[in-house]
Amino acid sequence: MLQLSVLRDQTDLVLAGLAKKHYPTGPADVAAILDLDQRRRALQTRHDAAQAEANELARQIGGLMKSGDKTGAEALKIRTAELKQHTQAAAAELAQVEEGQKQLLYKLPNLPHASVPQGRHAADNEVVREHGAKPELGPAAQPHWDLIKQYDIIDFELGNKITGAGFPVYKGLGARLQRGLINFFLDEARAAGYVEMQPPILVNEASGYGTGQLPDKEGQMYHDAKDDLYLIPTAEVPLTNIYRDEIIPVEKLPVRLAGHTPCFRREAGSWGADVRGLNRLHQFDKVEIVQITAPEHSYAALDTMVAHIEGLLQKLELPYRVLRLCGGDMGFTSALTYDLEVWSAAQGRWLEVSSASNFETYQANRLKCRYRAEGGKTQLLHTLNGSALALPRIVAALLENNQTADGIQLPAVLHSYCGFERIG
């Protein structure tokens, strides 16, 4: 969440950033937070003054008792009891004000970086670069949802029988392709200096709040009410929460982690042709990369993460483009996001396969994730993550772009990982 000091000292900057993200109640929410902050500080001053007076009276009472002035000591004890009631009442009101302020702060999205373009919708995103030639397939080309039936590698109907729509069953070469891609992505992450982790796929409420999925994405997450646990929408949540309430030694920075997990998203309200087949699922696999860095290095780290993801797409021989998201299309917690999209030849459109984001101190402030800077003072770190990569649309593009009359020819980098070169 945003730091109170930033709201107090740079109010105009905060309001401009919220407007750039098209956050509708920014002025009212900021005003309410600052009003509560004034109340909080006044209550804290009153509480501290009463506590200081009580401490001084306690010292005087001890002296009077030693000197034998019990009457004087009893008079001061009456005042001490009054002060105790004052401090308890102030502490209770202070806790109530702080909780209200915290809930309002949770509602505010992160501020966008200066380089974020103006805009409200995906059409306003900035194309940074494009790589690779789009394949020409001809009139007989089939979309991936027809190809998977033809080659019997993914079964949506069976998944619907077992669970429901959006939970496909991968079969035979389809399952082996999934496993090969996961191993390829993990090996590439390890070679790039990321430590492989295998985190839980259920997290508690504190973890959801720590990385900003709660309360913003509560309706999109699968929740087990009995144990109050959430199925993760991305490995970002457990991986970043490893460092919740931690002070990381500066010599251990940057932290670089990678993890493969299934991801679960309710995707409420999603329908239409654009979500057919593998385009949008409730459960899918993804390899995530996470970095935690000192603030002065975070944007260089973001560039390295984007370059790493581009390297994966190049080795998979997939045409792609990199987008810088506009203010209105960015995620709630992000300060700057790059989306990477691959070209789907049979569908004739771009498919998002990765987002790489810098959250600056937004998540770290929730997480209390800090490091000890020069002079021994603790400071908030910057957190970043990126999909490297999400599998469903990668598989869709691989199937569509590489289809031939003799089957689907896989890119060379996957031959050893899959144990086969062609489907069909």
Side-chain angles (χ1 to χ4, degrees), residues 16 64-65 82 87 101 219 234 239 258 272 276 308 334-335 354 374 387 398 414:
L64 291 171
M65 292 294 287
E82 292 174 352
T87 56
Q101 187 179 60
T234 166
L239 290 178
R276 285 194 67 181
H308 173 75
S334 173
S354 176
E374 261 184 68
S387 308
L398 286 173
L414 292 181

Side-chain angles (χ1 to χ4, degrees), residues 8-180:
R8 277 197 302 261
D9 302 337
Q10 303 179 64
T11 307
D12 289 344
L13 178 71
V14 170
L15 292 174
L18 295 176
K20 194 175 191 179
K21 274 201 165 181
H22 299 275
Y23 180 71
T25 59
D29 288 350
V30 170
I33 290 167
L34 292 178
D35 179 62
L36 285 172
D37 191 46
Q38 287 185 334
R39 284 182 58 195
R40 180 189 64 80
R41 288 192 285 174
L43 283 167
Q44 190 69 60
T45 299
R46 196 172 84 197
H47 174 275
D48 292 348
Q51 188 64 57
E53 184 181 349
N55 291 341
E56 174 58 25
L57 291 180
R59 187 187 66 78
Q60 292 179 22
I61 289 168
L64 291 171
M65 292 294 287
K66 284 182 181 179
S67 66
D69 186 357
K70 292 184 179 180
T71 302
E74 288 301 321
L76 292 185
K77 284 181 180 179
I78 293 171
R79 174 59 180 161
T80 301
E82 292 174 352
L83 288 169
K84 184 176 181 181
Q85 289 182 332
H86 290 328
T87 56
Q88 287 176 340
E93 190 176 354
L94 184 62
Q96 187 177 22
V97 168
E98 287 178 338
E99 180 61 25
Q101 187 179 60
K102 183 174 74 172
Q103 293 305 319
L104 279 174
L105 282 167
Y106 277 145
K107 287 177 59 181
L108 292 182
N110 199 1
L111 302 180
H113 187 262
S115 66
V116 169
Q118 295 283 355
R120 186 181 291 270
H121 306 294
D124 301 317
N125 294 334
E126 175 190 342
V127 179
V128 178
R129 57 186 166 271
E130 194 172 316
H131 181 276
K134 298 175 183 176
E136 307 256 341
L137 296 181
Q142 299 183 74
H144 69 272
W145 51 83
D146 289 335
L147 292 169
I148 62 178
K149 286 184 178 179
Q150 179 181 340
Y151 296 108
D152 194 26
I153 54 175
I154 303 173
D155 195 324
F156 286 97
E157 288 76 16
L158 187 55
N160 191 42
K161 172 186 175 182
I162 297 168
T163 307
F167 295 88
V169 174
Y170 297 85
K171 305 166 60 177
L173 297 184
R176 291 170 64 186
L177 176 58
Q178 287 276 111
R179 180 158 49 91

